[in-house]
Amino acid sequence: MAEVNGIKPIVLGLRRTVSKLFRYMLVLGAVALLWVSFIQWRMATLPDEKLPAHDVGIVLGAALWQTTPSPALKERLDRAVELYQADVIPRIIVSGGYDRADSLLTEAEGMRNYLVEKGVPSEAIYLENEARSTLQNMLFSQTIMREHGWTSAVIVTHRYHAVRALDMARFLGYDSPSVSPMESSVLTMAWHKSRETLALTKWQWDKMRSVFGYRPVT
């Protein structure tokens, strides 16, 4: 009987622990659901406004297929051509380094070639050939802007990606950056939005860490 009485408190303690853990998991799950919902809402409601004239457009790189922009990257470049032809941007920075170790061109070089084929003069295109991430896209393009004395920029990318890119531009000190987001008819959006949710979450964490000296860009 004593042995049974000794086991009972242990069982009760385990039940309390499991109950607390379950409650914590529920709270954590609710917070995660709210955060994901907030990010998806931000992606969905980012406005596609009529833009005034800016100094430059910045096209954020994506994959090349051999030496040709992928269909998704063509969507971004086609938007940049529209903005150029509408006199919203008189020049374009194409930003992106080598996609893979065996790539024949940088993303920027592939984008430049496509834009020239679409009628954009080569002298209106500026190559940023080093970036390997969205933050580097924004940082290295900002360096080109400062070298030429440009202050206003339109970021050209897909809508799901534009929230993070715009936030990074503000973090880096861009002067009232604008964005020209577009939907995609070629991407699997469930996958890309899920991946972008993780990337945006990591970016928010990196921003908080930067307060204590962490440098997001190496």
Side-chain angles (χ1 to χ4, degrees):
M1 187 69 178
E3 183 177 350
V4 174
N5 290 337
I7 293 174
K8 187 175 181 180
I10 295 175
V11 172
L12 291 174
L14 286 173
R15 286 178 177 174
R16 293 192 191 98
T17 300
V18 171
S19 178
K20 288 181 180 179
L21 181 61
F22 181 70
R23 289 197 295 270
Y24 291 149
M25 293 298 291
L26 283 178
V27 172
L28 182 61
V31 170
L33 180 60
L34 286 173
W35 173 246
V36 170
S37 298
F38 172 71
I39 291 176
Q40 297 301 314
W41 173 78
R42 287 283 306 279
M43 292 179 186
T45 59
L46 190 68
D48 190 0
E49 301 174 325
K50 182 176 176 59
L51 296 170
H54 285 66
D55 290 334
V56 67
I58 302 173
V59 184
L60 304 188
L64 294 180
W65 288 4
Q66 299 295 330
T67 58
T68 303
S70 63
L73 184 51
K74 287 179 179 179
E75 290 179 325
R76 298 180 185 183
L77 294 166
D78 289 341
R79 173 59 63 87
V81 172
E82 292 175 9
L83 296 174
Y84 178 81
Q85 293 175 342
D87 295 324
V88 174
I89 51 173
R91 55 189 71 88
I92 302 168
I93 296 173
V94 285
S95 176
Y98 286 105
D99 188 37
R100 301 184 309 275
D102 61 346
S103 295
L104 300 176
L105 300 175
T106 65
E107 292 175 355
E109 289 169 334
M111 288 191 282
R112 185 267 315 277
N113 295 344
Y114 181 85
L115 289 174
V116 170
E117 291 174 1
K118 290 291 184 177
V120 180
S122 58
E123 59 268 23
I125 305 169
Y126 295 76
L127 275 67
E128 186 291 293
N129 284 307
E130 303 297 328
R132 299 294 299 274
S133 68
T134 301
L135 187 56
Q136 289 182 352
N137 286 141
M138 303 315 306
L139 180 63
F140 300 162
S141 296
Q142 185 182 42
T143 298
I144 295 174
M145 289 180 61
R146 286 173 173 167
E147 289 172 350
H148 291 85
W150 305 329
T151 58
S152 58
V154 179
I155 303 164
V156 182
T157 190
H158 289 95
R159 187 175 304 278
Y160 76 90
H161 185 220
V163 173
R164 180 162 56 103
L166 186 59
D167 193 56
M168 287 177 171
R170 290 168 175 159
F171 174 81
L172 292 170
Y174 276 68
D175 184 12
S176 301
S178 299
V179 66
S180 183
M182 84 269 334
E183 304 295 345
S184 177
S185 61
V186 299
L187 293 173
T188 303
M189 292 313 302
W191 160 252
H192 284 278
K193 285 184 177 181
S194 298
R195 186 170 178 268
E196 183 62 22
T197 296
L198 294 175
L200 185 53
T201 301
K202 181 182 182 301
W203 164 241
Q204 297 303 321
W205 172 244
D206 286 345
K207 279 203 305 182
M208 287 189 292
R209 293 168 65 195
S210 70
V211 175
F212 302 99
Y214 171 73
R215 296 185 63 187
V217 179
T218 57

